[in-house]
Amino acid sequence: MSWTACSCAQNEEGESPHGRLDAATDYIYFITFSLPRIGRKGRSATENSKGKMATPWFRQVEVLSIKNVRQLRRQPVHLFILIFSSTISVVFAWLAGRDARGPQGELPPLTDCGTVPFEYIASLDDPYYSQHKVSMNEAWRGGLPQWLMTLGPTICGISIFLILRDELSSKRWGMLKAADTSAKWTSWFSVFVLLSLVNSILGSITAVALPDIHVFESVNFGVIFGLLFFLHVALVSASFFLSAICGTVQSTALSICIITAMIVASAAPTIATSTDMGYGLGYGKYNANFSTGTGGSFWRYASTESWEDQYNWSEYNGSDSSHSIDSCQSPIVSFEQSRRFKTVEERQAMQRDEWFVGCYTQAGASVLHTDKFFLWFFIPQSYFAMAWGNVAGYTSLPGNEFSFEHASQSPESLSQLALRNVKGG
């Protein structure tokens, strides 16, 4: 048995003998049977154990892949998305996360905990409202640029879903029923993975070429490519699964629900980390290095030490006053301890090993994969959020460049290593 290419004959109304087909099926590959070579036992060399003719599986994948490429060439919108979606999303991420005034300069002096000293804040002209940098990547802390980076691969996944849904519901799938089903799926998967490879390379080149954005300038090209490519592949697999469901039901309402769910899922990690992001208590009242919640899309250096700015007025008209800065500690406890209400007597009876005082790091996107919400494990964008959180966190302090050797390290190790590099420890 051999594979041959033929052009579908059409009647005057534009219909093929197998029904009306769109322009993408000008070339359909059919299986034609030729006289087989007879073996010594009278069985065809290409005949399988059931007596049926069988074309080699890899040959089927090859021919079906060519058919798929020709079909995509007739769909320019889908093809454009499959090639350039990451490039466009990286540009939008650059617009949202670039340094507002060009490359950021030196950070304020940092304490051993990686926090900004209160004395520096108090020395500002208007310490109550002055903005001061606490990291080189502060524009990324809210998560918007990170979500924009994942939006391109998400749109690409939606495009793949639509292509496969139409393929399953069209006559083409039935006309190729002589081909092995696994060969059909593999041929589409191979084409989409190859396009994802090109898509990720173009997006990575764009990222390293864009100016005035510290995080892109401080990360290895291969790291950006790897994150984008693996996100693409994960979304390709998810699109295959979802299209199989939708292709079976063939419901427009279900398709709309799936597309909406894919878009919401892409934004869910950003929403989760930004809504739980902690903030300092404000200048003048036990400021600043202490806050509750997470660090946002990447970790935040913090300390239990806080200060209070005291003004002592000897006269009501303010002609004579004194100023002092008082420091105190705000001990923290474990998550389990914080969820158990304690009376005053119970709090006073707590032992030293039940609470903590000193330097600590507020977790970033790594809090997603916990026992609180198991569905995060099924959302590809959550893995990208955690990985990119490590990149943004490690490069948040000056002089740190993220490379392959850091890819396998935990957020805890990277946060300590980044701080040691800056402090010279």
Side-chain angles (χ1 to χ4, degrees), residues 212-276:
D212 298 340
I213 183 163
H214 175 78
V215 64
F216 286 164
E217 296 171 351
S218 304
V219 63
N220 187 289
F221 167 86
V223 172
I224 300 178
F225 164 75
L227 292 177
L228 289 175
F229 179 66
F230 285 120
L231 177 60
H232 272 286
V233 173
L235 289 171
V236 168
S237 302
S239 298
F240 269 62
F241 171 73
L242 295 174
S243 63
I245 296 176
C246 195
T248 302
V249 179
Q250 295 185 2
S251 170
T252 302
L254 179 60
S255 299
I256 295 174
C257 290
I258 289 177
I259 293 173
T260 303
M262 293 177 71
I263 296 175
V264 172
S266 69
T270 298
I271 296 173
T273 55
S274 61
T275 54
D276 197 28

Side-chain angles (χ1 to χ4, degrees), residues 96-343:
R98 60 178 173 172
D99 308 330
R101 292 173 297 278
Q104 297 188 26
E106 295 293 332
L107 284 175
L110 301 178
T111 66
D112 292 338
C113 295
T115 58
V116 179
F118 181 78
E119 292 80 5
Y120 173 83
I121 301 175
S123 67
L124 299 175
D125 295 336
D126 190 357
Y128 286 95
Y129 299 102
S130 295
Q131 297 291 324
H132 59 277
K133 294 175 291 187
V134 297
S135 77
M136 303 289 284
N137 300 326
E138 205 60 25
W140 291 75
R141 189 174 297 280
L144 176 60
Q146 173 185 290
W147 173 66
L148 292 174
M149 281 190 70
T150 64
L151 188 58
T154 301
I155 299 300
C156 184
I158 293 174
S159 179
I160 293 172
F161 164 75
L162 293 175
I163 293 171
L164 292 176
R165 185 204 61 173
D166 294 341
E167 178 77 3
L168 290 172
S169 60
S170 70
K171 298 181 183 297
R172 292 186 299 268
W173 195 262
M175 291 172 62
L176 295 174
K177 60 184 179 181
D180 191 271
T181 302
S182 64
K184 300 178 188 178
W185 288 107
T186 304
S187 65
W188 274 116
F189 188 82
S190 302
V191 171
F192 289 138
V193 169
L194 180 60
L195 290 173
S196 297
L197 180 69
V198 176
N199 194 318
S200 302
I201 292 176
L202 294 177
S204 303
I205 293 175
T206 304
V208 298
L210 290 171
D212 298 340
I213 183 163
H214 175 78
V215 64
F216 286 164
E217 296 171 351
S218 304
V219 63
N220 187 289
F221 167 86
V223 172
I224 300 178
F225 164 75
L227 292 177
L228 289 175
F229 179 66
F230 285 120
L231 177 60
H232 272 286
V233 173
L235 289 171
V236 168
S237 302
S239 298
F240 269 62
F241 171 73
L242 295 174
S243 63
I245 296 176
C246 195
T248 302
V249 179
Q250 295 185 2
S251 170
T252 302
L254 179 60
S255 299
I256 295 174
C257 290
I258 289 177
I259 293 173
T260 303
M262 293 177 71
I263 296 175
V264 172
S266 69
T270 298
I271 296 173
T273 55
S274 61
T275 54
D276 197 28
M277 185 167 59
Y279 296 92
L281 300 180
Y283 176 85
K285 183 63 176 177
Y286 293 111
N287 176 42
N289 294 326
F290 174 77
S291 64
T292 58
T294 68
S297 63
F298 60 95
W299 62 75
R300 186 205 310 267
Y301 295 101
S303 170
T304 58
E305 185 177 11
S306 301
W307 298 271
E308 185 175 11
D309 203 1
Q310 298 282 1
Y311 284 90
N312 300 318
W313 303 92
S314 59
E315 297 182 9
Y316 289 105
N317 58 12
S319 59
D320 187 16
S321 64
S322 62
H323 171 249
S324 64
I325 298 176
D326 297 333
S327 64
C328 71
Q329 295 288 343
S330 302
I332 58 177
V333 296
S334 65
F335 178 83
E336 291 77 12
Q337 287 277 15
S338 66
R339 291 298 183 268
R340 295 202 300 267
F341 177 78
K342 295 179 176 60
T343 64

